[in-house]
Amino acid sequence: MCITITNMITRTITVILECSPLHSMHQCINAPMPHQPMVTQQTSPAMTSPTPSALTPTTLMKLMWLASPALAVGGFSYSEGLESAVEQGWVIDEPSATQWLIDQMLLSQAKGDWSLVAQAITSWSEFKEAELEELNTWVLMTRETHEFRLQCVQMGRSLLNWLTTHQNLQDPRVQWCSTLDTPTWPVVYALALHLSHADVRSGLVALAFGWAENMAQTAMKTIPLGQIAGQKILNQLIENIPQAIEVAMQTQSTKRQLFSPHLSILSSQHEHQYSRLFRS
């Protein structure tokens, strides 16, 4: 099982780093070799991002660690509204679960928390304390339900505890983050990515894959579905991760948002759901 997860994470990182923002996954996989001539489509500066340097084995393993469900932050205990969607009959099988999660990834995660993480990585590298406080406050202010706030606070605190255990306690960034009254998951995760020495795009790959794998597992438990169906959902999410990362990296701070009314309503209903497996 560990080998399968490792291979899938490595495949995801490789595919996304090789893909251009304007090419589909199929086009990227079947692109000509470097010695062959290839006509490229002109893009605007906003659509062009620098090619990240090759990841070192140590950095790659750290990203795999951060993406792993074995990371002790409690992410497996949250469904992020999916359990409530199943209860209400909005998600009933593999196709509906796949579409639900793809929409949630592209419309909510990519334009919200993942975009913030992309900005926060840069803020951590330059150690802009005021900007990091603003980002942390934005996370807290955009949690529309008690469960969503509980999730980002609990996972943020758990990840910070993990960092203080596995990183140099003398690192000024870790020390400063510990002084925040309520460190949140996106901001602390960005710190972990910065400490791994990964570029922004590779860091977002780890974040996105960890979320996708957790949500596929959640779908399997709540609907319920078998292992094959769960892997099909995960494969479809992987195919859409490149697009989500491009959205996250291009979303400006003034355009960042988490406005998902139906998801918030489902989360509110989940707080009073009679029988449930997850905390959100």
Side-chain angles (χ1 to χ4, degrees):
M1 183 65 174
C2 292
I3 295 177
T4 302
I5 294 174
T6 299
N7 291 340
M8 189 167 291
I9 296 175
T10 304
R11 167 179 171 259
T12 306
I13 293 176
T14 301
V15 169
I16 293 176
L17 293 184
E18 290 178 352
C19 286
S20 162
L22 295 180
H23 285 73
S24 66
M25 297 286 286
H26 176 77
Q27 289 172 317
C28 289
I29 294 173
N30 294 281
M33 298 300 291
H35 67 274
Q36 293 177 307
M38 181 174 63
V39 178
T40 57
Q41 183 177 357
Q42 293 186 352
T43 61
S44 63
M47 289 291 291
T48 304
S49 57
T51 302
S53 58
L55 297 175
T56 65
T58 299
T59 297
L60 178 58
M61 287 187 288
K62 287 182 178 180
L63 290 181
M64 292 167 63
W65 197 356
L66 289 171
S68 170
L71 187 64
V73 295
F76 63 88
S77 62
Y78 299 98
S79 79
E80 302 188 19
L82 181 58
E83 185 174 32
S84 184
V86 172
E87 176 72 14
Q88 298 297 324
W90 292 8
V91 176
I92 58 175
D93 53 16
E94 175 197 326
S96 58
T98 299
Q99 190 59 56
W100 176 274
L101 293 176
I102 289 175
D103 288 344
Q104 185 174 355
M105 178 171 63
L106 296 176
L107 301 176
S108 179
Q109 294 293 329
K111 295 181 179 181
D113 286 354
W114 295 359
S115 175
L116 182 138
V117 170
Q119 180 180 348
I121 293 174
T122 302
S123 299
W124 279 118
S125 66
E126 300 173 1
F127 205 3
K128 296 180 178 179
E129 298 178 16
E131 188 172 292
L132 289 165
E133 284 195 63
E134 290 180 2
L135 293 175
N136 196 70
T137 300
W138 185 91
V139 174
L140 293 171
M141 293 179 63
T142 53
R143 305 305 108 160
E144 296 186 307
T145 68
H146 173 71
E147 288 188 345
F148 285 162
R149 181 184 175 93
L150 174 66
Q151 177 180 351
C152 80
V153 170
Q154 180 271 305
M155 291 180 63
R157 177 60 65 182
S158 296
L159 183 58
L160 182 57
N161 291 339
W162 180 86
L163 285 176
T164 57
T165 302
H166 294 85
Q167 298 289 339
N168 186 350
L169 294 179
Q170 301 304 315
D171 190 298
R173 292 170 175 79
V174 176
Q175 290 182 335
W176 181 85
C177 192
S178 300
T179 65
L180 291 174
D181 292 334
T182 313
T184 60
W185 167 251
V187 173
V188 182
Y189 198 93
L191 173 59
L193 293 175
H194 165 72
L195 295 175
S196 73
H197 303 295
D199 58 273
V200 174
R201 186 182 298 275
S202 300
L204 290 178
V205 171
L207 173 62
F209 182 85
W211 178 87
E213 185 175 34
N214 183 66
M215 297 310 296
Q217 291 286 336
T218 300
M220 290 169 57
K221 296 174 184 177
T222 55
I223 294 177
L225 298 171
Q227 290 286 342
I228 294 178
Q231 290 299 302
K232 287 182 178 179
I233 292 175
L234 182 57
N235 183 65
Q236 288 299 310
L237 291 174
I238 288 174
E239 295 292 328
N240 284 272
I241 284 178
Q243 179 183 352
I245 289 179
E246 288 304 322
V247 171
M249 294 185 67
Q250 295 176 28
T251 299
Q252 300 177 356
S253 59
T254 55
K255 300 295 184 180
R256 189 172 58 239
Q257 55 89 23
L258 275 175
F259 184 64
S260 304
H262 281 171
L263 191 61
S264 299
I265 293 173
L266 287 172
S267 176
S268 299
Q269 292 174 335
H270 187 265
E271 294 178 6
H272 305 284
Q273 191 168 308
Y274 174 72
S275 177
R276 54 185 181 174
L277 297 174
F278 298 91
R279 300 174 67 182
S280 72

